[in-house]
Amino acid sequence: MTGHSVLDTDILVIGSGPGGSVAATKFAEAGRSVLMVEEGEHLPLDATPHFSCEEMLHKYRSAGVGVALGKRKLAWVEGSCVGGGSEVNRGLYHRTPPYVLERWARDYGVVDLSPGEMTQHFEACEAVATVQHMPGKPSESSQALERGATKKGWTAIAAPRLYRYDTADGRGSKQSMSATFVPRFKELGGNLLADVRIQRLRRTNRTWEASGVRTSGAQKTQITIRADTVFVACGAVQTPALLRRSGIRHNVGNSLRFHPMLKIIAEFDHEVNAPGDFDPVHQIKEFEPRFGMGCSIAKPPLLAMLQAARPGNWTSIERDWRRMGIYYVQTSGGRATVRNLPGFASPLVRIHFTPEELSTLADGLRHLADVLLAAGSVRLRPCIAGYPDLDRQTGLAGLPEALEAPDGSLTSVHVFSSCPMGEDRARTATDSFGKVHGTDGLYICDASLLCTPTIANPQGTVMAVAHRNALVALDRKFG
Amino acid sequence: MARMVETTVIALVDSLIDEAGIPATAAQRAHAAGYVLETIARMPDHFGLGFRALALLFSWSSVARYGRRFHLLANDQRHEQLRAWRGSGLSFRRSMLAFYDAFATFGVYSAAYRDTDTPRP
């Protein structure tokens, strides 16, 4: 470690994902001095191919290795670069389902959060980060899921994406934070520092001091940032870890939630998966909020990884990958805690599932298999070691009533709820607008605030809640 | 110590690729091993410590049976040890191999299928 730099700013935003970028931009628009720091690298959106090794190493936290420990482990991934998760996700977009907002108001005492009140915030974010439906036909793998749902009489939709389709052939540009809010923030005079990890917050003489490390190549420099107001937006795992390291623990890191996901590789008798296909967009909504279903990108490396160690994998994928699609079912089960370990930088996450939650996952898997067979799949490969292949002859026989998943079967790409907001202090870490209980000038503005899983893709909710909370903080002069 | 871990991981990834019957080139194998090593370097530090310790345990556990560390074994001996750990009653052994299976597979297929990385829509 060489050197020590000290910076001053009115407002410090820690984290540049959808929550941090939206809030920082609102503060810059209001003419405030804002510094946004990001632990990860600042890379162009197209710096690495999507779902590649390079992307995993440079844009994901911990190279994509996140494991919640417990009797049933869960592996999750998070973005860690300027733009956060918006850089690596598929940008599928939903406004928060009204029943989710109503539940947060009812169970956590969140005020001013009705669907009507949130509309202006969704619209404001969508004016900067464009949300559009694909103009042409989605991939065949996506359409197959829709056909299966139609045969079963289930509700399915083609989800819009944070994407701007520019031309008649459907090409265009992804509307990640690095392509939308971050440039706007900088144009407005906001300052952005990448490669800065904040390790601790300290309150002295009515000022917050954020201390950490800045990395530049092999060189590491100590950094201290002094700010009147701090917004923590490090994501639902790192935000509680930072707050707990800083001695702030009330309802912090006790209620982390995921969208646990199981996958099936479905083989068809015709091509469903071709290089250059549009991202799949269909989702089955029939059974939400219990579980939802959808279709993933199915490049050969992902197909192979999901069935690693399966005999004959190479030959099978080489011969058949264009006839294979990856489909998922996701629930909202499992509750986890985030704790720091003495001597280690990374927090420990522990998760627990109830028997009912494991049954719901198993039921969801059966429904997913059912709809894929209805869609015309000739063979299903559940991505759970020890589970049998299924086809029209076997039907769903062989799928257990409760999930019996070994390590690596349960995954998630959505994390939230580790520091819920609301007026019920017994259940929440912040007030209804992200101000941390019992502190001055300290706010949370990321997915940690969402009281429960959103059921739908959460990025739209994170952005709109950050927009709402930033406006309230400005209106209240951060008091 | 770091060199010992690296040697073991390279040999382990190579053996997993052989075991899976993947006709990978030397460059593709090197890409996969490099990717796995980089992943271990970047994973949460408490896991990283455990993985390095497990790599050493894996390497030395073949000494009792074969008299040599893993990377010095013949191919059939390596595959025998992989089978033993995969079928072990100790869950950490199975979990470790599940990790290497997944990440080595992703690494070698990414190298082999690089041409399917067409521009995304």
Side-chain angles (χ1 to χ4, degrees):
Chain A
M1 195 88 68
T2 56
H4 183 191
S5 55
V6 179
L7 303 173
D8 290 286
T9 183
D10 287 352
I11 301 168
L12 170 64
V13 178
I14 308 171
S16 65
S21 288
V22 169
T25 303
K26 295 312 293 179
F27 302 142
E29 276 177 7
R32 307 301 295 257
S33 157
V34 191
L35 171 61
M36 178 161 62
V37 297
E38 163 59 47
E39 182 177 354
E41 299 175 65
H42 191 182
L43 297 166
L45 188 56
D46 58 359
T48 57
H50 206 31
F51 294 120
S52 64
C53 293
E54 293 76 16
E55 186 182 63
M56 296 285 279
L57 293 174
H58 292 286
K59 291 192 174 181
Y60 282 82
R61 176 170 296 285
S62 305
V65 179
V67 180
L69 300 177
K71 191 173 176 189
R72 306 282 177 200
K73 297 181 181 65
L74 177 143
W76 85 89
V77 292
E78 295 175 280
S80 180
C81 56
V82 169
S86 74
E87 305 301 307
V88 295
N89 67 17
R90 294 197 289 136
L92 294 171
Y93 182 88
H94 294 279
R95 294 185 180 185
T96 325
Y99 64 83
V100 172
L101 295 177
E102 287 156 11
R103 184 177 170 200
W104 294 356
R106 186 186 66 235
D107 294 350
Y108 293 82
V110 185
V111 299
D112 301 341
L113 192 77
S114 68
E117 286 164 312
M118 289 302 292
T119 298
Q120 59 174 312
H121 304 297
F122 286 116
E123 287 175 349
C125 293
E126 292 159 13
V128 178
T130 306
V131 176
Q132 290 185 342
H133 279 93
M134 184 180 293
K137 278 191 171 182
S139 66
E140 174 60 17
S141 63
S142 189
Q143 293 180 66
L145 187 68
E146 184 191 33
R147 280 199 298 274
T150 301
K151 282 191 180 170
K152 300 297 294 181
W154 297 348
T155 304
I157 63 157
R161 293 176 66 202
L162 284 150
Y163 207 88
R164 194 174 64 217
Y165 295 97
D166 290 329
T167 57
D169 68 357
R171 305 291 157 185
S173 55
K174 187 180 172 187
Q175 299 288 281
S176 72
M177 293 299 103
S178 74
T180 56
F181 278 93
V182 171
R184 186 177 173 85
F185 167 72
K186 291 171 75 175
E187 283 165 19
L188 291 163
N191 294 305
L192 171 66
L193 273 185
D195 303 305
V196 172
R197 174 179 165 83
I198 299 299
Q199 295 166 319
R200 205 171 298 273
L201 298 170
R202 194 162 63 106
R203 183 78 164 158
T204 54
N205 301 326
R206 297 190 164 192
T207 298
W208 284 100
E209 277 189 10
S211 56
V213 175
R214 185 176 187 186
T215 304
S216 178
Q219 191 175 349
K220 290 186 185 297
T221 312
Q222 279 190 338
I223 188 167
T224 300
I225 303 167
R226 293 191 294 236
D228 299 331
T229 310
V230 173
F231 283 76
V232 183
C234 311
V237 175
Q238 298 300 321
T239 284
L242 171 59
L243 293 177
R244 292 186 72 89
R245 274 199 303 274
S246 307
I248 299 160
R249 298 193 175 92
H250 178 69
N251 291 328
V252 168
N254 298 338
S255 52
L256 180 69
R257 303 287 296 273
F258 298 88
H259 280 154
M261 181 189 288
L262 293 168
K263 290 179 175 162
I264 290 177
I265 293 174
E267 251 180 79
F268 292 85
D269 60 7
H270 61 284
E271 189 169 298
V272 297
N273 185 19
D277 265 357
F278 293 120
D279 274 14
V281 290
H282 283 99
Q283 297 177 327
I284 294 176
K285 298 291 191 182
E286 181 74 16
F287 304 98
E288 291 182 356
R290 270 191 90 222
F291 52 79
M293 295 175 240
C295 182
S296 298
I297 300 265
K299 287 182 175 185
L302 294 168
L303 286 162
M305 189 183 195
L306 285 173
Q307 43 191 351
R310 181 189 173 98
N313 199 14
W314 174 267
T315 310
S316 156
I317 286 178
E318 192 172 47
R319 188 184 59 218
D320 298 326
W321 71 270
R322 288 169 186 263
R323 298 195 293 108
M324 294 176 177
I326 299 174
Y327 300 87
Y328 65 84
V329 59
Q330 68 180 18
T331 72
S332 56
R335 274 123 182 105
T337 58
V338 181
R339 294 291 182 268
N340 294 301
L341 289 171
F344 292 98
S346 304
L348 179 70
V349 176
R350 284 179 293 189
I351 192 166
H352 172 72
F353 290 91
T354 65
E356 293 74 24
E357 289 167 342
L358 295 174
S359 292
T360 301
L361 277 161
D363 193 32
L365 191 72
R366 295 174 73 83
H367 280 78
L368 180 60
D370 196 14
V371 76
L372 291 172
L373 290 175
S377 172
V378 294
R379 181 197 299 265
L380 303 179
R381 303 178 179 188
C383 302
I384 305 173
Y387 274 43
D389 286 2
L390 308 170
D391 58 27
R392 287 172 199 157
Q393 276 69 47
T394 65
L396 306 182
L399 290 180
E401 294 295 320
L403 182 69
E404 296 169 4
D407 295 355
S409 304
L410 272 173
T411 60
S412 179
V413 292
H414 301 151
V415 285
F416 18 57
S417 312
S418 54
C419 310
M421 60 183 171
E423 301 306 315
D424 181 353
R425 283 186 172 236
R427 302 190 72 177
T428 60
T430 78
D431 71 7
S432 293
F433 304 98
K435 185 169 185 291
V436 178
H437 291 316
T439 67
D440 284 322
L442 181 62
Y443 296 78
I444 296 172
C445 63
D446 62 20
S448 310
L449 291 177
L450 312 185
C451 302
T452 66
T454 50
I455 310 303
N457 302 69
Q459 187 179 331
T461 303
V462 174
M463 293 164 67
V465 168
H467 187 270
R468 161 190 179 268
N469 293 0
L471 290 187
V472 169
L474 283 165
D475 190 48
R476 294 180 177 178
K477 298 184 170 47
F478 304 98
Chain B
M1 191 76 80
R3 178 67 194 152
M4 205 181 291
V5 170
E6 188 179 323
T7 306
T8 304
V9 170
I10 291 169
L12 176 53
V13 168
D14 214 37
S15 297
L16 290 171
I17 291 170
D18 283 340
E19 189 189 43
I22 299 172
T25 64
Q28 289 164 350
R29 287 168 187 266
H31 178 273
Y35 169 62
V36 172
L37 283 165
E38 191 67 22
T39 298
I40 293 170
R42 291 171 185 248
M43 66 172 48
D45 48 3
H46 44 80
F47 288 146
L49 185 67
F51 265 81
R52 289 183 188 92
L54 275 176
L56 295 178
L57 179 65
F58 183 79
S59 177
W60 283 99
S61 66
S62 62
V63 173
R65 180 156 182 189
Y66 300 111
R68 273 181 261 182
R69 285 171 40 215
F70 181 76
H71 70 282
L72 298 171
L73 299 182
N75 281 348
D76 55 341
Q77 292 170 327
R78 286 187 185 187
H79 295 156
E80 182 64 31
Q81 179 158 332
L82 289 176
R83 278 194 293 276
W85 275 56
R86 207 170 259 128
S88 170
L90 300 171
S91 66
F92 73 84
R93 290 184 168 190
R94 299 194 305 273
S95 297
M96 177 190 131
L97 280 192
F99 166 85
Y100 282 105
D101 271 331
F103 281 79
T105 299
F106 187 68
V108 74
Y109 276 72
S110 293
Y113 280 86
R114 204 166 271 281
D115 60 338
T116 62
D117 278 330
T118 51
R120 53 192 312 251

